[in-house]
């Protein structure tokens, strides 16, 4: 067992600005990492940029820049966007870094030395946008790439091949032995389907251009960009440079990827690890696409939504919440501005915002602004509901289902609002009855702040401080199973509760 929960995002191509699709992946990975920190796992979140290959060389050329000058510029867009979206990555890898060159060369050499790379000739239809070859049958229309609907190019090269076909049985055994290695199940079945169809060896070096990492035993060749890119996950874990770190981080790696790159992560990459003599990754979670008007967002279709501008308009945490709450992880989701505002008004303004504001108002008018303690777990139905919700949230994150975790959390918010409407503490004279109801509601707010923190960390922190609690709800280990605070009864009572501005003022939908 590795010591770390090591979460990764794909590394993004620097031919394109960050858009809502890439932001979606990154926010989900960030939420996974944040949840694991909360439950006390030693967590490491990695993201970065994929900077080699023909596509990037051409993007630079079109702009009259050297590939590295272009990559420096474009990689910074991602660093800035992820910081604006509150992404807590512990490292940011660029495949042009020296640490990565060393690691790729060692990884390749290990596979070569183990006898799984051989020299051959390759000719095929190549899509530069995908940086991948397609067989004649996979092409659409007039020899168009099935993903980009763009003409493919016929490329003939002498290069080195990875003997992927030799890994069919080992991959099938690995899937068999690890039922949750790919989540959700629909994506696992898809990956198994690729393997069962039969695997062909893949060409893993190029000689037609040189924007890449040199093959260590043959300087004429550069490493194929996908092979180069996948190894980034090992580079950062200390592969070939820090054996001690590697032993702690590997194979506890959890990849989050879009369905478009499932095959690379769930078939090629585990086989590459096996071939290099390291263990394959612990888990691959694959999500669907975020669509706009039913189509995938992409540069080619020019239908991208700029995530930082959107976050500035609606609030970064509202955007994060919507992405996590309204896309069922694994399926495609359709993004609309109206959907975002609808969710904001329903869950954030009306439910959560309303709960906090009515509780703080009544604590101020009936309890002199001092929050009372909750009832004993045995004396309140809210404790039972909280217990169920906490268990459900734990299971949901475990199954890589953020939408279920948030849905359960908001069930608790709604039930608490409903309980307040029945008890109507604002109509009664101060006294033990009013204190009990408000103490329970404050305790729910404490629990909800911890459960909502992976999606909305700063909102959660604000709730903590308004109800008079010290520290952050997402302090590492606060939600640990043993000795953590995700159980009824943690709100101590006697805290100063602040009546503040509404957390989420209602918004009108507009285009
Ligand atoms: N560079 C490769 C990945 C190498 S990982 C070793 C790559 N990059 S990419 O920039 O084209 O896209 C990476 C990821 O961005 C996709 O797998 C997916 O996770 C995400 N998305 C890109 N467009 C998206 C949507 N429209 N919707 C959801 N995710 C999207 O592939």
């Amino acid at each position: 067992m590795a010591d770390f929960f090591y979460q990764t995002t794909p590394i993004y191509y620097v031919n394109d600005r960050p858009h809502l699709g890439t932001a979606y992946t990154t926010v989900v990975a960030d939420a996974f990492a944040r949840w694991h920190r909360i439950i006390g796992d030693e967590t490491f979140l990695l993201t970065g940029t994929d900077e080699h290959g023909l596509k990037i060389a051409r993007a630079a050329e079109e702009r009259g820049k050297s590939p590295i000058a272009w990559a420096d510029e474009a990689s910074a867009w991602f660093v800035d966007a992820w910081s604006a979206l509150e992404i807590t990555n512990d490292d940011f890898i660029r495949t042009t870094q020296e640490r990565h060159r060393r690691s790729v060369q060692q990884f390749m050499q290990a596979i070569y030395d183990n006898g799984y790379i051989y020299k051959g000739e390759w000719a095929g239809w190549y899509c530069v946008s995908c940086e991948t070859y397609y067989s004649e049958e996979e092409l659409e229309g007039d020899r168009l790439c099935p993903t980009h609907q763009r003409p493919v190019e016929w490329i003939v090269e002498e290069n080195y091949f990875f003997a992927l076909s030799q890994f069919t049985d080992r991959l099938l055994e690995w899937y068999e032995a690890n039922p949750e290695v790919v989540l959700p199940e629909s994506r696992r079945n898809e990956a198994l389907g690729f393997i069962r169809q039969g695997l062909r060896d893949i060409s893993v070096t190029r000689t037609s251009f040189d924007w890449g990492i040199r093959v260590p035993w043959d300087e004429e060749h550069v490493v194929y960009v996908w092979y180069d890119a996948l190894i980034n996950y090992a580079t950062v874990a200390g592969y070939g440079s820090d054996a001690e770190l590697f032993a702690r981080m590997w194979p506890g790696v959890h990849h989050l990827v879009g369905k478009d790159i499932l095959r690379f992560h769930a078939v090629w990459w585990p086989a590459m690890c096996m071939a290099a003599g390291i263990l394959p990754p612990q888990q691959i979670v694959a999500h669907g696409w975020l669509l706009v008007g039913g189509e995938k967002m992409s540069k080619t279709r020019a239908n991208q939504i700029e995530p930082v501008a959107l976050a500035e308009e609606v609030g970064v945490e509202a955007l994060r919440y919507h992405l996590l709450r309204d896309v069922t992880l694994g399926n495609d989701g359709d993004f609309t501005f109206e959907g975002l505002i609808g969710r904001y008004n329903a869950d954030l303004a009306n439910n959560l915002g309303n709960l906090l504001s009515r509780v703080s108002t009544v604590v101020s008018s009936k309890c002199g602004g001092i929050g009372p303690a909750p009832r004993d777990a045995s004396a309140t139905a809210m404790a039972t509901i909280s217990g169920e919700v906490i268990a459900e949230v734990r299971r949901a994150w475990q199954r890589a289902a953020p939408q279920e975790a948030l849905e359960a959390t908001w069930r608790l918010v709604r039930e608490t609002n409903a309980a307040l409407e029945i008890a109507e503490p604002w109509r009664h004279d101060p006294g033990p009855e009013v204190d009990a109801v408000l103490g329970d509601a404050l305790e729910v707010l404490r629990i909800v702040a911890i459960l909502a923190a992976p999606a909305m960390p700063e909102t959660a922190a604000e709730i903590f401080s308004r109800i008079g609690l010290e520290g952050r709800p997402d302090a590492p280990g606060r939600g640990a199973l043993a000795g953590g605070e995700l159980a009824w009864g943690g709100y101590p009572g006697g805290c100063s509760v602040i009546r503040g501005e509404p957390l989420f003022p209602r918004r009108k939908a507009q285009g």
Side-chain angles (χ1 to χ4, degrees):
M1 266 307 267
D3 295 342
F4 281 86
F5 182 90
Y6 174 23
Q7 175 69 55
T8 70
T9 74
I11 48 173
Y12 302 105
Y13 286 131
V14 289
N15 68 325
D16 203 357
R17 287 187 175 268
H19 56 74
L20 198 58
T22 43
Y24 170 68
T25 311
T26 316
V27 165
V28 173
D30 180 66
F32 285 159
R34 285 180 181 269
W35 171 253
H36 280 274
R37 290 189 197 107
I38 290 171
I39 62 171
D41 290 342
E42 190 161 3
T43 303
F44 192 97
L45 175 64
L46 173 66
T47 189
T49 42
D50 191 353
E51 305 185 0
H52 287 132
L54 195 52
K55 172 162 45 188
I56 308 306
R58 285 190 182 166
E61 202 179 297
E62 277 165 23
R63 289 156 176 104
K65 301 203 164 153
S66 70
I68 190 65
W70 168 249
D72 285 346
E73 205 175 295
S75 165
W77 299 334
F78 288 87
V79 173
D80 293 347
W82 301 159
S83 136
L85 297 181
E86 302 180 338
I87 306 303
T88 52
N89 51 299
D90 296 284
D91 199 344
F92 187 101
I93 186 165
R94 301 182 51 190
T95 52
T96 48
Q97 289 164 341
E98 176 59 17
R99 60 173 173 168
H100 187 58
R101 182 190 63 75
R102 278 199 303 268
S103 143
V104 168
Q105 290 187 331
Q106 288 192 52
F107 206 100
M108 287 290 279
Q109 188 71 49
I111 300 181
Y112 188 65
D113 293 346
N114 290 340
Y116 295 112
I117 288 182
Y118 62 91
K119 201 168 192 178
E121 187 173 270
W122 181 263
W125 295 110
Y126 195 75
C127 169
V128 177
S129 293
C130 300
E131 294 279 16
T132 197
Y133 281 103
Y134 284 99
S135 66
E136 189 80 46
E137 307 83 68
E138 287 171 310
L139 299 177
E140 291 179 2
D142 194 15
R143 297 222 169 89
L144 300 179
C145 155
T147 307
H148 294 91
Q149 307 296 324
R150 283 181 155 188
V152 290
E153 298 173 33
W154 182 254
I155 294 191
V156 183
E157 287 187 90
E158 180 178 75
N159 46 32
Y160 289 92
F161 285 78
F162 171 52
L164 182 63
S165 59
Q166 292 187 33
F167 288 87
T168 309
D169 292 343
R170 284 177 67 183
L171 285 170
L172 290 174
E173 280 161 26
W174 177 61
Y175 272 80
E176 178 91 12
N178 300 282
E180 297 204 331
V181 81
V182 175
L183 288 181
E185 207 184 337
S186 53
R187 299 287 167 214
R188 170 190 166 85
N189 293 337
E190 192 179 336
L192 271 169
F194 296 142
I195 303 170
R196 291 197 181 114
Q197 265 167 29
L199 299 174
R200 280 184 299 180
D201 293 353
I202 48 179
S203 130
V204 294
T205 68
R206 298 286 182 267
T207 49
S208 50
F209 59 91
D210 63 2
W211 179 235
I213 295 175
R214 298 264 160 221
V215 170
W217 64 88
D218 188 340
E219 290 274 301
E220 297 283 291
H221 293 249
V222 294
V223 178
Y224 170 44
V225 62
W226 261 105
Y227 224 69
D228 163 344
L230 287 162
I231 297 170
N232 90 83
Y233 306 126
T235 302
V236 172
Y239 176 84
S241 66
D242 187 339
E244 206 181 305
L245 181 68
F246 195 71
R248 299 184 63 211
M249 289 185 75
W250 208 266
V253 61
H254 297 248
H255 302 303
L256 177 71
V257 299
K259 66 179 183 181
D260 47 337
I261 56 174
L262 177 65
R263 183 196 303 246
F264 299 106
H265 284 82
V267 183
W268 291 21
W269 175 231
M272 286 165 66
C273 291
M274 292 170 184
I278 64 170
L279 287 166
Q282 191 159 319
Q283 195 164 58
I284 299 132
V285 173
H287 65 71
W289 284 342
L290 206 58
L291 308 173
V292 176
E295 289 207 323
K296 187 182 178 225
M297 225 171 297
S298 69
K299 190 177 177 192
T300 333
R301 294 200 176 93
N303 60 350
Q304 298 176 337
I305 294 173
E306 214 285 285
V308 176
L310 183 60
E312 277 164 10
E313 191 175 343
V314 299
V316 55
E317 305 220 335
L319 174 59
R320 288 174 59 107
Y321 178 74
H322 175 56
L323 292 176
L324 290 159
R325 171 66 185 83
D326 282 310
V327 183
T328 297
L329 199 139
N331 298 352
D332 291 348
D334 207 4
F335 177 82
T336 62
F337 192 74
E338 294 68 33
L340 165 60
I341 299 301
R343 178 59 72 187
Y344 172 98
N345 281 333
D347 282 17
L348 305 183
N350 293 356
N351 269 308
L352 181 60
N354 190 23
L355 179 62
L356 180 68
S357 85
R358 74 203 322 188
V359 169
S360 47
T361 305
V362 187
V363 168
S364 151
S365 63
K366 307 281 175 179
C367 314
I370 303 298
R375 280 178 273 208
D376 265 4
S378 57
T380 168
M382 293 321 298
T384 316
I385 300 172
S386 295
E388 286 166 13
V389 163
I390 291 166
E392 213 171 311
V393 169
R394 288 191 192 281
R395 279 196 301 273
W397 286 112
Q398 186 70 26
R399 277 204 317 276
Q403 73 284 355
E404 289 174 21
L406 294 173
E407 193 186 350
T409 305
W410 259 257
R411 179 157 73 83
L412 180 56
V413 176
R414 275 197 311 276
E415 297 270 5
T416 310
N417 269 322
L420 284 173
E421 269 148 36
I422 291 169
E424 296 189 309
W426 44 86
R427 283 174 174 264
H428 297 288
D429 291 335
E433 270 309 300
V434 165
D435 285 356
V437 172
L438 291 172
D440 286 0
L442 284 160
E443 171 61 349
V444 165
L445 280 165
R446 181 190 73 85
I447 291 171
V448 165
I450 302 173
L451 297 180
M456 302 198 297
E458 299 312 318
T459 303
E462 179 65 19
I463 294 174
F464 246 48
S465 92
R466 295 230 188 148
I467 64 176
L469 294 175
E470 304 221 322
R472 289 186 59 97
D474 52 6
R478 207 186 272 285
L481 254 187
E485 296 165 27
L486 268 181
W488 187 263
Y491 188 72
C495 318
S496 295
V497 172
I498 303 164
R499 267 185 77 181
E501 293 292 305
L503 275 189
F504 298 102
R506 269 188 77 83
R507 298 185 67 103
K508 283 205 188 81
Q510 83 245 124

